[in-house]
Amino acid sequence: MKSYPSIFNDVIGPVMRGPSSSHCAAALRIGKICRAIMNNDIKEVYIEFDPNGSLATTHSGQGSDMGLFGGLLGWEADDERLKDYEHHIQDAGIQITIDIHDIAATHPNTYKITLKNNTETHQVIAISTGGGMIEIIEIDQATVSMYGDFYVTLLYTQKPSAIYNTLQDLNLGEVNMHLGNQKFISVRSSKALQAELQQVITTLKDIQSIKAITPVLPIKSRKNLSVPFITVEDMLIYNADKNLNLWELALEYESIRGHIKPQDVLDKMGNIVEVMRNAVITGLKGTKYKDRILGPQSLTFKQKFENGTLLPGDVLNTCTMYTSAIMEVKSAMGVIVAAPTAGSCGAIPGTLIGTADVLHLPKDDIVKAMLAAGLIGVFITEHATFSAEVGGCMGECGSASGMAAAGLVVLKNGSLQHALAAASIALQSSLGLICDTVADRVEAPCLNRNVMASSTAISSANMALSDYDQVIPLDEVIETMKRVGDAIHHTLRCTGLGGLAITKTAKTIEAKLAGYKSILNTPSFKNC
């Protein structure tokens, strides 16, 4: 069963490189779990994508190959070596084959992966669910449900019933028996219990192999996990006798969800804000990267802003400049924070850090605003989606706009109701936004839409602070996001098969970029 969302797992993060969190960071996490299942020994990998999903057309350009191969090599999502992943996978001697054919996938981001070494073969089916989050749904043709937030031990055995009964009696975690084309027991536990389990395993007979899978998410889950609220309505009831601000409610939520101290939550968000700030600084110095559409446009914007060429508006122009700089760092394979995704990584930090700088506010205020934005994201990911493959860009830049709007209200010391109204107004303005990336690069129209998300957030925050009527409560807007996302045609959900992606100019750009970076020309792997 899926755990409740965490701000640091599901919303603000991961810290990563690459154009897309649902392609790069999620694929890397899937790859790391595959590596653990193979006990870090992989010789051959056969990857299957469904032609009706997103990955068939985007796995190379949006970084799924990069992320997956990096995970198979055991790297982290911000590893410098990801820029040259094809050479490293070749040097590791891992033979990769990618095949696109009907695999009856029901999710657009489905990975079917067969892994081999000299002694064993295993098959994994996994999905990327948005913002770097994943679910392993099948191992060796047996149904599983793994989100990467628990310690999981797999015990392969020809006598699963006896092992299952023994482990059930020991109460060392959640035990399940799986009867696919290979028989195994899974034990989901905390780190301490996994250590105890390892000691017990040495006394058991008939175990063929053991696979120890460590969590790939920063915030771990636990048995009987609970949260204080999971809808806006629940939160308001919870807060009725507390009178907490939105950032304080976010602090309380994440502390309870993650079973960590409030100060640890603040410190962790503070570290994330530093990564975001560094992305702004790096972007405004100028970025270079061959395999992209757009150059460092924020430099020109900065020059025009400083010499008075632009229409006046310090907050809006600063936020536009910062948002652009972060997006350019992402496109140059620099380190960014998916917030809530890599495709929308510029809007929230660009808006909140930019506004704070204009208002001369300290870092602590940015941390509080970021927590508030994160809590709005918790409600969105629980009841709608961040995945463009599922809900279009409404799930990415639309969500970012609503989250940033709430954070801006917190920066201006607005009330809880003002923050919720700002988020509602911004999200209402983003309903139905499609995802149609040009040339399979997360740059155009993504940069424009990040800036749009920022400007909408600023307007929405000011409207809310002026007591404009939101009309539709935030919970109902989020429910509407889910319905609208389901109604968007699949060609307009990050497949490159509709919208701006199929214009004459987009196809010309796509052809021009095709020769810059083609993994298929390397001898280490091939397409079928």
Side-chain angles (χ1 to χ4, degrees):
M1 181 179 292
K2 188 179 187 303
S3 299
Y4 291 108
S6 153
I7 290 175
F8 296 121
N9 283 353
D10 301 73
V11 185
I12 307 294
V15 177
M16 60 167 288
R17 296 179 190 269
S20 167
S21 48
S22 62
H23 287 70
C24 309
L28 187 139
R29 287 168 167 172
I30 292 167
K32 290 186 75 171
I33 292 175
C34 288
R35 178 179 170 87
I37 291 172
M38 296 301 292
N39 289 333
N40 303 341
D41 180 14
I42 305 171
K43 300 299 183 186
E44 298 179 30
V45 183
Y46 175 51
I47 304 164
E48 300 169 80
F49 295 134
D50 197 294
N52 295 314
S54 169
L55 295 169
T57 53
T58 64
H59 67 91
S60 176
Q62 293 198 23
S64 298
D65 296 349
M66 177 189 70
L68 184 60
F69 300 170
L72 294 173
L73 293 169
W75 299 347
E76 298 299 325
D78 61 348
D79 197 297
E80 175 72 22
R81 293 170 293 180
L82 284 166
K83 294 180 180 180
D84 300 308
Y85 68 96
E86 63 269 34
H87 301 299
H88 289 286
I89 201 78
Q90 181 179 353
D91 291 343
I94 300 176
Q95 179 68 43
I96 305 288
T97 303
I98 299 174
D99 193 0
I100 298 172
H101 66 109
D102 187 0
I103 58 173
T106 58
H107 191 282
N109 287 343
T110 299
Y111 295 77
K112 185 176 181 181
I113 306 168
T114 303
L115 307 114
K116 296 182 179 181
N117 60 27
N118 293 335
T119 59
E120 58 185 330
T121 299
H122 294 286
Q123 185 184 88
V124 174
I125 298 180
I127 59 174
S128 163
T129 58
M133 299 298 287
I134 65 167
E135 183 183 7
I136 308 297
I137 60 173
E138 189 176 296
I139 297 175
D140 293 326
Q141 298 182 16
T143 300
V144 298
S145 183
M146 295 167 49
Y147 295 89
D149 53 349
F150 274 94
Y151 292 84
V152 178
T153 305
L154 306 182
L155 308 175
Y156 282 80
T157 174
Q158 289 300 314
K159 299 181 179 180
S161 297
I163 302 294
Y164 174 83
N165 292 332
T166 299
L167 294 176
Q168 281 279 63
D169 293 340
L170 293 173
N171 195 30
L172 291 176
E174 179 185 322
V175 183
N176 288 288
M177 182 163 49
H178 306 276
L179 305 178
N181 64 352
Q182 300 185 55
K183 300 172 184 177
F184 64 95
I185 304 294
S186 67
V187 185
R188 192 172 74 165
S189 60
S190 68
K191 184 176 183 178
L193 289 176
Q194 191 180 47
E196 291 181 42
L197 177 63
Q198 295 296 324
Q199 294 177 349
V200 170
I201 288 171
T202 61
T203 68
L204 299 176
K205 298 179 180 180
D206 302 313
I207 294 179
Q208 297 167 301
S209 63
I210 304 166
K211 317 292 183 180
I213 302 171
T214 57
V216 294
L217 298 180
I219 302 298
K220 314 300 185 290
S221 292
R222 61 196 182 277
K223 188 177 181 180
N224 300 324
L225 184 151
S226 64
V227 292
F229 46 79
I230 199 57
T231 66
V232 175
E233 183 179 3
D234 289 343
M235 181 185 71
L236 294 175
I237 294 171
Y238 176 85
N239 196 42
D241 59 349
K242 296 179 177 62
N243 197 32
L244 300 176
N245 198 306
L246 185 60
W247 78 265
E248 293 172 312
L249 287 162
L251 185 65
E252 196 145 326
Y253 176 94
E254 189 67 7
S255 179
I256 293 170
R257 162 61 181 84
H259 197 54
I260 53 180
K261 296 176 182 178
Q263 187 59 50
D264 291 339
V265 175
L266 291 169
D267 291 345
K268 189 169 184 65
M269 188 60 82
N271 292 336
I272 284 175
V273 168
E274 286 299 319
V275 176
M276 293 170 164
R277 167 74 73 182
N278 189 60
V280 173
I281 295 169
T282 301
L284 291 178
K285 290 179 180 177
T287 57
K288 294 181 180 179
Y289 195 68
K290 186 177 182 181
D291 186 31
R292 71 182 195 181
I293 299 170
L294 301 172
Q297 298 176 117
S298 59
L299 297 179
T300 305
F301 191 98
K302 183 174 185 291
Q303 180 184 18
K304 300 288 187 182
F305 182 24
E306 290 174 346
N307 67 22
T309 303
L310 306 180
L311 294 170
D314 283 357
V315 169
L316 178 60
N317 286 332
T318 300
C319 293
T320 297
M321 182 171 64
Y322 282 18
T323 297
S324 300
I326 295 170
M327 290 295 289
E328 288 163 10
V329 170
K330 173 198 66 66
S331 295
M333 284 295 293
V335 177
I336 53 92
V337 179
T341 68
S344 59
C345 70
I348 296 173
T351 304
L352 298 185
I353 297 175
T355 301
D357 283 1
V358 172
L359 299 178
H360 306 292
L361 299 176
K363 176 184 171 181
D364 286 351
D365 286 4
I366 302 173
V367 169
K368 293 173 182 177
M370 204 67 69
L371 281 169
L375 186 56
I376 298 299
V378 163
F379 300 137
I380 294 172
T381 192
E382 177 67 15
H383 303 290
T385 185
F386 292 142
S387 174
E389 295 85 353
V390 176
C393 196
M394 170 184 64
E396 298 201 26
C397 289
S399 296
S401 184
M403 293 162 62
L408 287 173
V409 170
V410 169
L411 279 180
K412 286 296 291 179
N413 295 315
S415 69
L416 173 60
Q417 291 297 339
H418 284 147
L420 298 175
S424 175
I425 292 167
L427 290 176
Q428 289 177 45
S429 305
S430 307
L431 293 175
L433 190 61
I434 66 172
C435 179
D436 52 348
T437 52
V438 171
D440 201 20
R441 306 303 193 273
V442 188
E443 297 181 79
C446 316
L447 170 61
N448 313 358
R449 289 177 183 164
N450 271 259
V451 172
M452 177 216 70
S454 176
S455 59
T456 299
I458 294 166
S459 299
S460 299
N462 276 335
M463 291 169 70
L465 289 167
S466 301
D467 295 321
Y468 276 54
D469 188 351
Q470 66 179 327
V471 183
I472 308 299
L474 182 56
D475 275 340
E476 294 180 32
V477 177
I478 294 172
E479 291 172 3
T480 303
M481 287 179 65
K482 176 65 170 63
R483 291 196 300 271
V484 171
D486 290 345
I488 296 175
H489 195 270
H490 81 277
T491 59
L492 303 174
R493 295 189 298 193
C494 198
T495 58
L497 299 175
L500 296 175
I502 59 172
T503 59
K504 178 180 178 181
T505 298
K507 288 300 180 183
T508 300
I509 294 170
E510 184 176 348
K512 188 181 297 184
L513 289 171
Y516 286 168
K517 189 177 183 183
S518 178
I519 299 175
L520 304 181
N521 290 335
T522 68
S524 60
F525 70 99
K526 60 183 179 179
N527 260 18
C528 289

